[in-house]
Amino acid sequence: EPDERAFQERINAGGKIEPKDWMPEGYRKNLIRQIGQHAHSEIVGQLPEGNWITRAPTLERKAILLAKVQDEAGHGLYLYCAAETLGVTRDDLTRDLLSGKMKYSSIFNYPTLTWADMGAVGWLVDGAAIMNQVPLQRTSYGPYARAMVRICKEESFHQRQGFDIMMKMANGTEAQRKMAQDALNRFWGPSLMMFGPSDAESVHSAQSMAWKIKMNSNDELRQKFVDQTAPQAEYLGLTIPDETCKFNEETGHYDFAQPDWDEFFDVLRGNGPCNTERLEARNKAWDDGRWVREGLLAHAAKKRSAKMAAE
Amino acid sequence: EPDERAFQERINAGGKIEPKDWMPEGYRKNLIRQIGQHAHSEIVGQLPEGNWITRAPTLERKAILLAKVQDEAGHGLYLYCAAETLGVTRDDLTRDLLSGKMKYSSIFNYPTLTWADMGAVGWLVDGAAIMNQVPLQRTSYGPYARAMVRICKEESFHQRQGFDIMMKMANGTEAQRKMAQDALNRFWGPSLMMFGPSDAESVHSAQSMAWKIKMNSNDELRQKFVDQTAPQAEYLGLTIPDETCKFNEETGHYDFAQPDWDEFFDVLRGNGPCNTERLEARNKAWDDGRWVREGLLAHAAKKRSAKMAAE
Amino acid sequence: MNTPLFEFLCRMGDNTLVLGHRVSEWCGVAPVLEEDIALANTALDLIGQTQLWLGMAGEVEGKDRDADKLAFHRDVWDFRNALLCEQPNGDFGQTMMRQFLFDTWHLIMLKALAGSSNEQIAAIAEKSVKEVTYHQERSADTVIGLGDGTEESHMRMQKALDKLWPYVGELFIGDEVDAAMVEQGIAPDPASLRATFDSQLDAVLAEATLTKPADDFAHKGGKTGARHTEHLGHMLTQMQWLQRAYPDASW
Amino acid sequence: MNTPLFEFLCRMGDNTLVLGHRVSEWCGVAPVLEEDIALANTALDLIGQTQLWLGMAGEVEGKDRDADKLAFHRDVWDFRNALLCEQPNGDFGQTMMRQFLFDTWHLIMLKALAGSSNEQIAAIAEKSVKEVTYHQERSADTVIGLGDGTEESHMRMQKALDKLWPYVGELFIGDEVDAAMVEQGIAPDPASLRATFDSQLDAVLAEATLTKPADDFAHKGGKTGARHTEHLGHMLTQMQWLQRAYPDASW
């Protein structure tokens, strides 16, 4: 098919696909899934950090955390807008999130249990997210690529803030060091899982890479993440909960053990520590907010018709 | 009327009126109001103390407070039973409480703000309650008098526990002493109000005293309370928030200033600091519990009919 | 040391601290994404203002207490926020009604403080006016939109107004601290702000088709600290937890 | 010092502490007065048992920590209660379902502990068996009454069971602490209690017309302390507030 060939050639040449351009149905569908999941992750991702806003230890930390969570909501907004250019509405996507039909990043199904988790989330979770997202600034779909540019700028700021919290904790009192180590212990494996299973097992990978909506292999990014993070852990004086995690002179990379993939699939199936709570929280917000959305819509309609009557 | 005369003579002779005995309609009505209000006070009275059960400072204090609140629910139960002997149901009385038609003791419309308030409530509020209740053990209505005997025994135990908390606080750290004094400052006036306005202004007093459902004048009991409490405050090293509160050698009693009766009437009208919260809490409990009450009733009915079918 | 000034600064800072905390409780669970963002933004501004007010309070006091020390190491009786600020969020309507009532007072107050004889206060007020102007526009719009929305939203907003109304009066009750501020040209007499407040309120309520309650009974005890509601203590258990549990740590 | 024994005692004591706290949250707001009394009574028993278990844990540890020190001065990671105990109350049905699941396990466990080689543990267990027998009868009756009540009560109880089921498995998962206890004849192998639990559970669920979920997935991390749920930290802000804010005070 000539359309499809032209489309692929344009991508190969580094061109951008824009909303009104022809695109294969699979491309559209895959993008909706991917951007939608990413948007949902930003939204659900507010919850584990929101859990500590009311307990932040200083006014400054509270402000930083609030700003961060606000940014995440903003990222959700950009991404829903990007998805909408593909012909779905935000409400459609939201309903699929709330019914459990669409997923969000599994990492947000883990609980935040101490203040150090705010550090670990920034350092590890945002760190892993950035690894995934930086290449996506060059993705083939224009609105998505542009959203990623804005998002990446803010994410790397968040990651630095997270690392800063970890430094304070790691250089703090004995209890703080303990919290920091405990946070690393709990978030290390789940962070490695953020890149997805090995590409060998991944269904969508080859086509997605050809379409440039996936830019690197999962294993490649995971290795990059470990290579970046392991020396940072050392710098913090914390121990990565993996005895095999060592620099390998031969490969020039850090060796590391695979995370517990059984746990990953458990979480995907809905059995993560917080799956139920997260979906309940979002569903409750949506249901409790119905009267507000309806009220504001009704008011806007009244104003419109009053304006039309006056014209 | 001979019935009425015989009734009054029996009371004058110190006899007890029992549920099946003839009684004037006014006597019945007044008793229902008085016993019902007393029962409601026990129920609503769980809330200000319940507010600190989850924050009790030691396991022992938590256990003592739980036991106390449990006793109060028990007192409510005795009193509703006594009221039911007069031909109303507990549900009738509850509905009148929830709609605001029936009152409960105004003191429970004040907030409990520090742990010292648990002491002040026991020492002052239970102390004032006992002053009111001890004479009621001799009230003319048998079921009421017998309920009061059980209640008074437990109340005086509670009062001692409250005083014990105050002692710990008053002899504790600077912050604890501050909490103790602050609690006394806030609860002194409201405690004096517990005896009601001066008898000169009280509508029901004369008839109720003839019927022996009120045994002493409000002012008399208030004076007794001040005479008992002032030396205790002194013993604790706390200052009663009333400069005029001094022992008067001539009268043999403590002088004291009247509490702020405007505030009292504000609270009665529903404008106390916690009127709204208290009624909301009780209404919510009742509404949320509907399915439970209905479920248990339905199950009991099923069991009954299964049993009848089997016979 | 200037005790009335310290008190006054705590009142300003505790208002923003406590209300900021309440607003931040909404994080991630607002009715629409745009509201999540707006509420976080409001909370953020209020926390920022808290740092300025309580920071200055600490300096004025001169006892080596900074804004964090004041925020996280005082117990209920030392808090000076108006009772309105500590009231629970309730539903979104109650939250926005509380916000509108507070914002409207806050903006009038801050505009007056921008002319304070105390330059530092004038500067804090000037900075805050910009933020609060936006808060007030937003909360007024929401009150109007929901008051004049559906039958349900109207009913909920009227209920919210009725519930919160008894906490409005305290904002305008003066005491000896206020008198000292007036005398020094630092701050306005609270009562003097009422007329402007009422006229702005009436205009918004009219558009929102809401009825101002007839009873003007006013709860008090927040800004003097004499008697807060039971809600504040519960808020502090959360807010101050880490500082209380690990007093030696730095974060 | 006997570390596995200390761990074991903390597990027993933290279960009763945390569940006792949850139950005490109902104070004054139960569906009927008789339930107010019964719930307060259950909470009271559990707090009393906590004093015994954590008191003994402190003695065994020998670091001068008494039951209060352990209850009020540890942070989440040091808590050893099963995740089931820290789950929120939800509605009354969820509270009673949690209670029934816990009571049923608890009673079987305590009966086994009554034969412990450690006399002090045997004595605590024996005293507790009396109380918990009553708890279990009551919670089983309530589960039956509400399960086999109205359509709504049935639906709510099934929902409660479905929600809490993933927290049941942890009660029966053993680890090296349990192995040490078995070896010393102090406590039974957790897995060995499952058959009795299941048969008692099945009997009650049958009478309650409720269906046991098919999926046996079990959350874990509570009794080892490796990963509690987010609920525990919030509970501790309340529970430990006064002790944390005023560490030098005695009460």
Side-chain angles (χ1 to χ4, degrees), chain A residues 52-112:
Chain A
W52 280 90
I53 286 183
T54 55
R55 288 179 288 176
T58 68
L59 294 168
E60 190 64 25
R61 291 289 175 199
K62 189 179 175 107
I64 292 171
L65 191 54
L66 267 166
K68 181 178 178 193
V69 175
Q70 189 187 11
D71 284 347
E72 283 158 9
H75 297 176
L77 213 51
Y78 305 159
L79 289 162
Y80 283 126
C81 288
E84 285 187 327
T85 64
L86 293 158
V88 283
T89 68
R90 199 210 295 184
D91 281 5
D92 292 336
L93 293 169
T94 299
R95 262 183 289 270
D96 285 347
L97 166 67
L98 298 181
S99 72
K101 196 178 146 195
M102 283 185 83
K103 299 289 176 198
Y104 51 88
S105 179
S106 283
I107 191 77
F108 302 120
N109 289 316
Y110 288 87
T112 54

Side-chain angles (χ1 to χ4, degrees), chain A residues 15-57:
Chain A
K16 291 280 180 254
I17 310 300
E18 294 300 331
K20 290 185 175 166
D21 296 340
W22 183 91
M23 61 187 82
E25 203 42 41
Y27 179 85
R28 182 191 305 274
K29 267 195 169 165
N30 256 310
L31 264 180
I32 289 176
R33 189 180 51 83
Q34 188 174 326
I35 302 176
Q37 281 190 13
H38 189 168
H40 296 333
S41 299
E42 299 284 355
I43 302 310
V44 177
Q46 294 180 88
L47 298 173
E49 290 177 302
N51 186 39
W52 280 90
I53 286 183
T54 55
R55 288 179 288 176

Side-chain angles (χ1 to χ4, degrees), chain C residues 81-93:
Chain C
N81 60 285
L83 298 175
L84 178 66
C85 300
E86 70 197 49
Q87 295 311 300
N89 284 339
D91 65 11
F92 182 76

